[in-house]
Amino acid sequence: MKRIITIVGARPQFVKAATLSREFSVAGIDEKIIHTGQHFDANMSEVFFTEMEIPQPAYRLDINGVGHGAMTGRMLEGIEKILLGEKPEGVLVYGDTNSTLAGALAAAKLHIPVLHVEAGLRSFNMHMPEEINRILTDRISSVLFCPTDAALKNLAAEGFVNTAGNDPGSDRQKSGLNGAIPVRIVKNGDVMQDAALFYARKAAGKATVVKQLPVSRFVLATVHRQENTDDPSNLKGIVEGLNAIHRQVPLVLPLHPRTRNILQQSGLTPDFITIDPVGYFDMIGLLQQCEMVVTDSGGVQKEAFFFQKHCITLREQTEWVELTELGFNQLAGSDPVAIGEAFKKLMNQQSDFSVNLYGNGEAARKAAELIATL
Ligand code: UDP
């Protein structure tokens, strides 16, 4: 493939796309980006394009501020129109957002091969919109780029069979034979590790937020999952848990716009330090300097590991099971007691973070090289 369209829309996708866009120019692949507009605040979108030198989107759909159905539907319509005009050889989607699903659906129905990066991950919680998005996207993709062994196992358990064929379009047409789902499956590693390694060098000296904090020792937290923000008892438990950590070590939380809005209406009183969402360079600075990470983000769980920090995950499940299995990460849900216990345990734990779980920074290059051969 020499001409592809990439669909992005949400913050984690900008981080992932940055790594592949760079490799596409090396591999001689012409990439055009569609930005669906899911995230649009300057500090949730533009800052990533600028700092990470992501090519400016060729198309902007500006779809946001509506529910899941309307958002996915409008994106589907907008993306389909562009694909009909552009006729790309493949459509690249990342992760598990509404933009991912809309991009995959639009392409698959036009018989354009879908390339899914960060495929095969499962939380096994069908109440998460992300789980629905990733299962459906995998099912209609032609090439699944998997970051981990766990992702490969999940796909095998669902009946996906790796064809390793060179014609992804026809692989997909054969789907359903004997109950197996033939698809090209590639374990290329995790593109977010590529981003962390590459941009940590670039961010050196450019992270300013960490220097302006009123504290020198701190725990870094992020909270934005719908199952936490939209459930009052989960949010209350999390705020209590974070307040309790803050009484021991100051806790700093860059506030996702959704969480900010809901917290304002909730009557809850965070005692910890909240700041505006930060750009990627500042996030790297915070990850490097913090004592521990507490998060419900998928990406930040891994970044804690990349920057050699323990992590408490404010969820009941994680897709990044290797981190919990090896003790780098502990699940605590939204229960303040469990959050407190995890904090105590991890603060006293020494870990060797040198194990290679995510491919050590070659994931994007491997994916781009393969795409060039398709
Ligand atoms: N991130 C950031 N600034 C912030 C919070 C997060 O740059 O204030 C980055 C974070 O380092 C990671 C990405 O955004 O690379 C993760 O996005 P998010 O947590 O929104 O999504 P998820 O990974 O849960 O899908």
Side-chain angles (χ1 to χ4, degrees):
M1 288 179 190
K2 291 289 174 216
R3 272 186 329 105
I4 65 159
I5 293 254
T6 294
I7 315 286
V8 296
R11 180 169 65 185
Q13 290 164 334
F14 309 141
V15 174
K16 292 165 199 170
T19 65
L20 264 158
S21 290
R22 219 177 33 252
E23 294 295 340
F24 285 147
S25 38
V26 180
I29 295 173
D30 173 41
E31 177 195 39
K32 282 194 180 142
I33 294 177
I34 300 179
H35 187 330
T36 63
Q38 197 172 338
H39 285 163
F40 55 93
D41 290 337
N43 57 9
M44 296 289 289
S45 173
E46 201 48 45
V47 65
F48 294 89
F49 283 84
T50 313
E51 282 186 348
M52 303 180 90
E53 299 172 87
I54 306 168
Q56 279 301 315
Y59 298 95
R60 292 180 185 271
L61 297 178
D62 289 324
I63 299 166
N64 49 63
V66 288
H68 281 279
M71 190 189 289
T72 314
R74 285 181 204 174
M75 287 176 182
L76 181 57
E77 193 178 357
I79 294 168
E80 184 182 62
K81 239 180 240 158
I82 298 167
L83 296 184
L84 281 168
E86 288 281 348
K87 299 188 179 49
E89 293 172 83
V91 168
L92 174 62
V93 296
Y94 290 96
D96 52 24
T97 71
N98 292 337
S99 305
T100 315
L101 178 61
L105 258 180
K109 293 218 170 175
L110 294 172
H111 307 153
I112 301 168
V114 177
L115 318 166
H116 185 201
V117 169
E118 223 181 58
L121 299 172
R122 299 289 182 264
S123 66
F124 303 99
N125 177 356
M126 287 300 280
H127 286 270
M128 287 177 72
E130 294 89 349
E131 182 76 352
I132 298 168
N133 291 339
R134 53 173 90 99
I135 288 175
L136 297 178
T137 300
D138 281 346
R139 186 62 186 80
I140 56 176
S141 291
S142 294
V143 187
L144 299 176
F145 289 103
C146 297
T148 57
D149 289 331
L152 295 179
K153 273 193 208 140
N154 292 336
L155 291 175
E158 288 176 22
F160 286 85
V161 177
N162 185 13
T163 59
N166 256 355
D167 183 354
S170 71
D171 288 345
R172 192 157 44 72
Q173 282 161 22
K174 286 183 283 174
S175 74
L177 287 182
N178 304 322
I181 307 165
V183 67
R184 183 81 184 250
I185 300 175
V186 185
K187 184 185 156 197
N188 63 317
D190 184 52
V191 293
M192 287 189 88
Q193 183 163 37
D194 299 21
L197 290 169
F198 183 82
Y199 291 101
R201 288 193 293 273
K202 292 213 150 203
K206 294 189 186 140
T208 51
V209 169
V210 71
K211 293 184 194 147
Q212 291 156 3
L213 291 176
V215 293
S216 51
R217 282 184 73 199
F218 64 94
V219 167
L220 175 66
T222 74
V223 178
H224 74 284
R225 284 257 101 68
Q226 198 175 315
E227 80 233 38
N228 286 331
T229 56
D230 293 12
D231 179 323
S233 87
N234 282 0
L235 191 62
K236 181 166 179 284
I238 287 172
V239 170
E240 271 175 34
L242 299 186
N243 280 345
I245 291 178
H246 181 69
R247 287 194 286 276
Q248 300 166 70
V249 179
L251 184 140
V252 174
L253 189 144
L255 260 184
H256 191 284
R258 171 167 53 216
T259 316
R260 188 202 310 119
N261 292 342
I262 293 177
L263 266 182
Q264 274 165 358
Q265 294 154 17
S266 70
L268 294 167
T269 44
D271 300 330
F272 44 87
I273 302 163
T274 57
I275 58 176
D276 284 336
V278 296
Y280 193 64
F281 288 178
D282 278 318
M283 190 66 182
I284 288 178
L286 292 168
L287 283 158
Q288 284 170 329
Q289 294 297 318
C290 71
E291 307 232 331
M292 194 192 290
V293 173
V294 185
T295 190
D296 61 4
S297 157
V300 178
Q301 288 176 57
K302 281 178 294 170
E303 288 168 341
F305 171 76
F306 302 152
F307 292 98
Q308 311 202 345
K309 305 296 152 87
H310 289 117
C311 180
I312 301 172
T313 295
L314 304 169
R315 290 178 43 197
E316 302 292 343
Q317 316 86 10
T318 179
E319 303 79 43
W320 307 102
V321 288
E322 53 287 332
L323 294 176
T324 48
E325 281 164 10
L326 295 173
F328 300 116
N329 185 341
Q330 185 154 335
L331 299 179
S334 56
D335 172 14
V337 176
I339 295 169
E341 281 168 4
F343 180 69
K344 199 166 152 203
K345 181 176 159 231
L346 292 177
M347 277 305 269
N348 294 313
Q349 185 175 309
Q350 300 293 322
S351 296
D352 174 5
F353 289 89
S354 63
V355 49
N356 177 2
L357 298 175
Y358 297 105
N360 280 349
E362 303 200 312
R365 184 180 53 75
K366 286 185 181 165
E369 283 176 2
L370 182 96
I371 292 169
T373 67
L374 294 175

